[in-house]
Amino acid sequence: MTGTVSDPDALRRRAQAALLAARDRTSLLTTCVEEPELTAQHSPLMSPLVWDLAHIGNQEELWLLRAVAGRDAMRPEIDGLYDAFEHPRSERPSLPLLAPAEARRYAADVRGRALDVLESTPFRGSPLTDAGFAFGMIAQHEQQHDETMLITHQLRSGPTALTAPDPAPAPPFSGPAEVLVPGGPFTMGTSTEPWALDNERPAHHRLVPPFFIDTTPVTNAAFQRFIAEGGYEEQRWWAPAGWDMVRGNSLSAPLFWRREGGQWLRRHFGTVEAVPPDEPVLHVSWYEADAYARWAGRRLPSEEEWEKAARHDPATDRSMRYPWGDADPTPERANLGQRHLRPAPAGSYPAGESPLGVRQLIGDVWEWTSSDFLPYPGFAPFPYREYSDVFFGGDYKVLRGGAFSVDEVACRGTFRNWDHPVRRQIFSGFRTARDASPTEAR
């Protein structure tokens, strides 16, 4: 689907496929464990899996059945239970939540009615239905909660419940370590992507000085050198709040890592394995990414630098939907959609590289940027203020690019994710950047 598709039948087929794909993934994530695992809280940072399951159905009812179709509430008494702003995650296990079987029935009932609404709704006439926006929004919402549930699976103790093939082996990357991104203006954000969310809008011009950016994400092997050279022990590399985090929690490595028998091991979806040296580093906070960049004599890229590296084609002076162009992601271009349960080796996916040769900007790991989460010029909240507007400010840092855990419907060159800089349970990594000198920029 290109960003300017206007064929309502094509969009309707796309919406149906996206909704069905999301529900298949939800089912996988909630049927692979027994009922006690669904109702347990595996971390105070996360909801019980059964809360996410019913919340998905409740949001679909709110937006597709009530807002789009104008139907009466099916179960108004549960709206408050599944309002993410009314109850923090730590409180959700104590709520009178729907039991797993009841939650599944509710979500299935909503879905059946929503598909009927999809067939009869004209994709025009209101901002909520233009180009099928509400249906795309709900497919993205479900996939975002699927990613959240995948994080919960990583946090849970006990044997693995999920399996997937590993990414194809890749030869060691032999390209340049960094790429020069020429300075100049480019178009950031979008006003044409039909299912883009409010914080991605509107398209606007940014002037970006020349800079260098890593060709691939930082690897586990590179991060191990940071650890070996005392990275977690030297205050000079850390932002003050990051140093407090390290000292207060006795941190010495990424989340899930441990040192044993002279090697680094990690817990990965219920198994313990040696840390793969050539994979992008995973489960690091913004503070850890920032400290590594300082130690390496570099910095994290800003959000606009990341997007210019990912979308700008110097040959045409145009911003594309993805690094490789406007075509949708494919397995040859990016590691998305939980096809694998790990990042691919750094340097993989040459078919997905940008015009300047930067690789893995989409998929594999979310990439921290240096930027705070702020609105674009001309931002307008839609369709509800709580999606983006309440999060703007200095408390959140922007992540870009998606990860192996992200479905393509919720991942594009303009997509913005955000989280607290202390967060490590998310599928986050990073790449570094540096300013280009006047001589280098020529």
Side-chain angles (χ1 to χ4, degrees):
M1 180 179 71
T2 64
T4 56
V5 164
S6 58
D7 180 355
D9 290 333
L11 282 166
R12 202 178 308 278
R13 290 192 298 271
R14 177 67 177 243
Q16 182 183 56
L19 288 167
L20 294 176
R23 188 52 48 89
D24 286 345
R25 187 178 176 197
T26 299
S27 296
L28 172 66
L29 290 162
T30 56
T31 58
C32 62
V33 292
E34 300 296 328
E35 182 168 325
E37 297 271 22
L38 294 175
T39 57
Q41 186 174 46
H42 299 281
S43 164
L45 296 172
M46 312 304 292
S47 307
L49 292 168
V50 73
W51 185 92
D52 288 287
L53 175 59
H55 171 77
I56 285 167
N58 186 245
Q59 287 294 296
E60 188 166 331
E61 185 199 346
L62 286 170
W63 288 104
L64 300 188
L65 302 189
R66 300 188 209 174
V68 171
R71 299 185 182 182
D72 292 336
M74 293 169 57
R75 299 192 61 172
E77 76 279 4
I78 70 171
D79 286 352
L81 298 176
Y82 298 103
D83 185 333
F85 288 89
E86 189 169 332
H87 301 286
R89 289 174 174 175
S90 59
E91 294 179 1
R92 292 171 190 171
S94 63
L95 300 175
L97 303 176
L98 300 183
E102 191 176 6
R104 286 195 182 96
R105 284 193 298 270
Y106 170 63
D109 191 3
V110 171
R111 172 52 55 86
R113 300 181 192 203
L115 291 176
D116 290 340
V117 171
L118 173 62
E119 287 300 314
S120 61
T121 299
F123 279 11
R124 63 185 184 279
S126 78
L128 199 58
T129 57
D130 285 348
F133 174 82
F135 300 93
M137 178 185 73
I138 287 300
Q140 292 179 80
H141 174 266
E142 182 163 355
Q143 287 285 3
Q144 288 168 326
H145 275 272
D146 288 341
E147 182 180 14
T148 298
M149 289 193 284
L150 188 64
I151 292 170
T152 301
H153 274 279
Q154 167 64 9
L155 287 164
R156 61 178 283 273
S157 59
T160 184
L162 296 167
T163 59
D166 286 342
F173 181 68
S174 58
E178 61 179 4
V179 169
L180 173 66
V181 180
F186 88 107
T187 300
M188 187 173 185
T190 180
S191 297
T192 58
E193 184 76 29
W195 296 347
L197 302 171
D198 59 2
N199 62 62
E200 302 170 65
R201 300 174 181 270
H204 59 286
H205 293 296
R206 292 283 181 105
L207 181 63
V208 179
F211 67 98
F212 284 90
I213 193 167
D214 290 342
T215 311
T216 70
V218 171
T219 64
N220 288 320
F223 203 85
Q224 286 173 20
R225 290 193 289 274
F226 167 68
I227 298 172
E229 294 186 19
Y232 282 86
E233 300 165 7
E234 295 195 36
Q235 184 175 356
R236 58 180 169 150
W237 306 128
W238 296 83
W243 184 245
D244 290 343
M245 179 190 74
V246 168
R247 296 294 94 188
N249 296 280
S250 301
L251 302 184
S252 60
L255 185 62
F256 306 117
W257 286 29
R258 72 172 190 261
R259 188 79 171 167
E260 187 175 296
Q263 67 173 337
W264 283 107
L265 305 176
R266 71 178 182 187
R267 183 166 60 81
H268 184 74
F269 292 108
T271 65
V272 176
E273 63 181 21
V275 172
D278 56 349
E279 281 186 14
V281 68
L282 194 61
H283 297 301
V284 289
S285 67
W286 183 90
Y287 290 123
E288 289 164 292
D290 177 64
Y292 174 96
R294 295 172 192 240
W295 167 83
R298 299 171 68 83
R299 57 177 174 79
L300 295 178
S302 67
E303 184 179 12
E304 54 263 41
E305 287 175 333
W306 188 97
E307 187 168 327
K308 184 169 186 179
R311 297 186 62 214
H312 185 66
D313 182 0
T316 62
D317 195 31
R318 186 175 72 87
S319 289
M320 306 178 296
R321 294 180 71 219
Y322 298 99
W324 56 83
D326 293 334
D328 290 338
T330 63
E332 295 74 34
R333 292 175 175 140
N335 180 8
L336 292 167
Q338 201 181 310
R339 286 190 301 270
H340 312 295
L341 287 172
R342 62 176 67 242
S348 297
Y349 304 107
E353 71 179 20
S354 74
L356 294 173
V358 187
R359 295 196 180 182
Q360 292 167 288
L361 286 158
I362 296 292
D364 286 306
V365 294
W366 285 108
E367 298 185 13
W368 288 109
T369 72
S370 64
S371 299
D372 295 337
F373 185 49
L374 298 171
Y376 289 162
F379 166 83
F382 176 78
Y384 59 105
R385 182 172 175 266
E386 289 79 11
Y387 182 74
S388 303
D389 194 42
V390 298
F391 297 102
F392 289 140
D395 292 339
Y396 298 90
K397 293 293 185 180
V398 174
L399 302 103
R400 288 301 205 101
F404 67 89
S405 54
V406 178
D407 187 79
E408 66 173 83
V409 75
C411 185
R412 48 196 163 263
T414 57
F415 193 92
R416 306 171 77 194
N417 190 10
W418 65 94
D419 214 327
H420 293 290
V422 297
R423 289 288 187 256
R424 309 206 304 160
Q425 82 275 16
I426 59 178
F427 299 113
S428 52
F430 64 100
R431 69 181 74 216
T432 67
R434 68 178 176 92
D435 298 341
S437 70
T439 301
E440 292 173 318
R442 289 175 187 163

